[in-house]
Every structure is written in C-alpha cells, then in structure tokens.
Amino acid sequence: MRELGFGYLYDMRNPAPWHRPPEALHAEVLDVIAETEALGFDGAWVPEHHLAEDGYMTSPMVLLAAIAARTKRMALGSGIALAPLYEPLRFAEDCAVLDALSGGRLRMGLAIGYRAREYAAHGLDFRQRGARFDEFLQVVRRLWAGETVDFAGAHFRLDGARIAALSSRGQVPLYIGGFAPRAMERVARYGDGYFGNAEVWPLYRQKLEEQGKDPAEAHVWVQELTLVVAHDKTAAMEELAPHFLHVTNSYAAWMAEDSAVGIDDPAMKAMDLESFKASGALRILTPTEAIDHFRRLREQAPVEHVTMMMPPGLPAERFLAYAKVFADEVIPAFR
C-alpha cells in the first residue's frame, strides 16, 4: 500500500471579525505553507470560489505560482478549481508553466461547482456545466499530449491550438471530484484520480472497471477539512470553533442562495456557536484517535492523501502549533 500523505487547504478567507490587510494575510499564509513543508507535510492546496464577501480565493493559479516559489518538495495544486469556468487552452498553458515552475509537483483538483450565481457572473449557463466540463477535459488532455488541436464542440471552438512549452511530464495529474454515477464516469474516463469522500470508492471502482482500467492503480485523495488533532480537545474546541463556524455558515448562506443545487448536508446548515460545538461538525481528535481514524479510512478505500484546512482568522502561530502536533505524532505512523 502507498504511503499516506497529508496537507492543508488554504482558502485565504479574511472574515470581518479577524480582518487584516490582504497583503499581510497572503504573506503570512505563504510563510505558513513553507513551515508546514519543513514540518513534513506533503501538500498545499488552493480552492476557488467567486462572489464571496470574505475574500475566498478567486485566482488559484496565481497563488499556486507563489507557493511553487516558496516550496521545494511538497505537492501543490487546486482543491478545487471550477473547471467549466476556464478556457481550456489558457488553463492547459498555465498548468504547464506551473508544473515547470514547481519541478513537476503540480496536481490539479477539478470539479463542476454547485453555485449557479458563479456561472451567471461569468456569463455561463449553470445547466450546461457538465457538458462544458467534458469538452474542457477532452481538449486539455489532447493539448498536454502535444497535439495540435482543432475542436468544434457545443461550448468550445479551437483552431490550431497547441502548447509549445509543455512541462517535462506533459500530462499534469487531474483529480476530479463528484458523487453521482454520471460524475464518477467522468472521473474514471478523464481523471488520474478521484478526490472527495472515501464512501464513494465502490462506485469509483465500478466505473474504472467499466472503463477497462485497473482499480489497483487508482488514486484517491480525500478532504477532511474540519478535522484537527490536539491533546486538549476541550481547549481546542473553544479556540477553533468560532473560526470553523464561519466556514460552515458561509457555506450555509451559499446553499440558501443556490438551493436548487440540491445539496443536503447537515454540516452546511447555519448554526450559532453553541449548536456548532455540539453538532460534531468540527472533529477534534487526539493523536492516537487520529491514527486509528486514518487507518480505518485506508481500510475503506485506497486513500493516498488527506487534506485538512487552515481555518480562517486563526493566527498563524496557533495554526502551526496544531500542525506540529499532527506532524510529530500522527504523520510518523504512516511512513
């Protein structure tokens, strides 16, 4: 079985209760990322959303270039980028440059998104995002294969498109998210791996087999964004709950705006602080509990990477204190 890697998601939120000049926040997060690499973490991941009032990252490619310049070893990439919002040639070119800048460390997590307002803001039809995503993936894969691409689809048209400066790898690994059978067919057909929940592994395995691919070669990356390791669970809950509550209530507001999407996740319901603490949405584990949890996770699916998150507004030194406990007492169990 492959080693299990761990990394953090950095969404660059800058909520009002803890607001700082964006320049200071960005500089601090880059310092944090470099420090997590020194501690032994394996990945730094950048998400994407638009129209958020709290500064949620809108330009993952730009931030990833800065991360590539500040790190040497860890993997880096999007977690996730909203692929249908991109023009495929520009995306493929930018990834080729990022992969070269990082020395071949780039992995891109992609999905279709769930907020209709983001599509409307980009002048796109939310209902067509799946078909647009499929065309996008076809074109990007051909460009990274070194082809000169002529393509006439319902959503993209390219004439003589090519990338002259591919990275040495050519194809940048794509980890594609989804849950429904149609989405998992897309993952199996176009993806190098899947990111999402370990519970979806049986469906992913089935779709790989239908595509004639060996499930033993599958790559699975899961997000555990509300998991923290601490020795004193009560103290950690008191310190961390307000920061994670902001995340939960932000998602709840988006669900209310875009209720037609149909996501029904109890962790995405608006709550007050005490209800949030009691809800179980924020999981604080001791190092021993975390090791047991990740071992069970690996029994459930061939997980090779787990992504947690730096909660918005938490001071860097406090975040790094939690990261150090994880690095010292959890990571060695999976090396």
Side-chain angles (χ1 to χ4, degrees):
M1 183 177 287
R2 303 181 185 102
E3 285 189 353
L4 180 60
F6 299 94
Y8 287 104
L9 183 84
Y10 303 92
D11 62 20
M12 310 305 289
R13 293 175 191 258
N14 198 3
W18 309 286
H19 189 271
R20 304 174 55 200
E23 298 83 358
L25 175 64
H26 283 66
E28 180 179 85
V29 171
L30 288 172
D31 287 343
V32 163
I33 292 169
E35 182 61 26
T36 63
E37 182 178 63
L39 287 172
F41 286 89
D42 308 288
W45 311 105
V46 180
E48 175 183 3
H49 273 298
H50 302 270
L51 311 178
E53 295 183 359
D54 62 3
Y56 198 113
M57 174 51 51
T58 58
S59 302
M61 299 293 201
V62 177
L63 182 55
L64 288 171
I67 294 171
R70 291 292 303 273
T71 57
K72 300 295 183 184
R73 175 190 56 80
M74 61 170 39
L76 56 98
S78 55
I80 57 153
L82 302 175
L85 301 184
Y86 289 77
E87 186 277 317
L89 176 59
R90 171 58 67 191
F91 174 87
E93 290 172 330
D94 286 349
C95 287
V97 173
L98 275 171
D99 201 42
L101 281 173
S102 66
R105 293 183 284 132
L106 185 67
R107 305 181 201 168
M108 295 300 289
L110 305 177
I112 61 174
Y114 53 85
R115 298 189 68 206
R117 292 189 180 194
E118 291 177 308
Y119 279 81
H122 285 83
L124 298 172
D125 186 345
F126 181 74
R127 297 166 299 177
Q128 296 296 314
R129 69 197 193 283
R132 185 177 173 91
F133 194 9
D134 288 338
E135 287 190 9
F136 170 93
L137 290 166
Q138 293 174 49
V139 172
V140 167
R141 284 298 195 195
R142 291 178 61 189
L143 289 167
W144 285 342
E147 293 184 34
T148 297
V149 177
D150 297 319
F151 185 88
H155 302 280
F156 299 106
R157 182 181 181 89
L158 297 88
D159 295 304
R162 62 186 295 268
I163 304 176
L166 285 168
S167 68
S168 297
R169 292 194 299 174
Q171 297 284 347
V172 172
L174 297 180
Y175 286 69
I176 301 175
F179 303 99
R182 177 66 188 90
M184 296 309 297
E185 289 174 10
R186 179 182 298 118
V187 179
R189 179 177 294 114
Y190 297 112
D192 296 289
Y194 167 73
F195 87 89
N197 297 335
E199 291 83 358
V200 182
W201 167 241
L203 179 58
Y204 180 34
R205 180 177 56 205
Q206 173 191 330
K207 297 303 180 183
L208 286 169
E209 291 170 344
E210 290 174 1
Q211 291 289 324
K213 297 181 179 179
D214 183 359
E217 300 298 319
H219 300 274
V220 178
W221 158 19
V222 300
Q223 294 191 341
E224 298 265 15
L225 300 184
T226 57
L227 186 152
V228 178
V229 170
H231 292 123
D232 187 333
K233 295 166 69 170
T234 300
M237 179 64 74
E238 290 301 310
E239 178 175 38
L240 296 173
H243 301 274
F244 281 99
L245 176 63
H246 174 81
V247 175
T248 293
N249 284 351
S250 296
Y251 286 129
W254 292 352
M255 294 302 103
E257 291 174 358
D258 294 331
S259 59
V261 173
I263 294 177
D264 185 18
D265 184 343
M268 292 188 179
K269 305 297 184 184
M271 290 181 263
D272 61 33
L273 181 59
E274 293 307 314
S275 297
F276 178 73
K277 290 178 184 177
S279 70
L282 174 57
R283 290 181 298 161
I284 300 175
L285 306 179
T286 66
T288 298
E289 289 171 341
I291 291 168
D292 290 343
H293 169 73
F294 293 127
R295 284 176 174 162
R296 290 194 301 272
L297 193 68
R298 299 256 274 177
E299 292 171 356
Q300 187 175 7
V303 177
E304 63 179 35
H305 192 87
V306 174
T307 300
M308 299 164 288
M309 77 176 297
M310 181 179 183
L314 185 68
E317 65 273 13
R318 295 303 306 140
F319 169 71
L320 288 170
Y322 289 103
K324 190 173 190 308
V325 172
F326 196 105
D328 289 346
E329 301 186 44
V330 177
I331 290 178
F334 299 94
R335 296 291 186 266

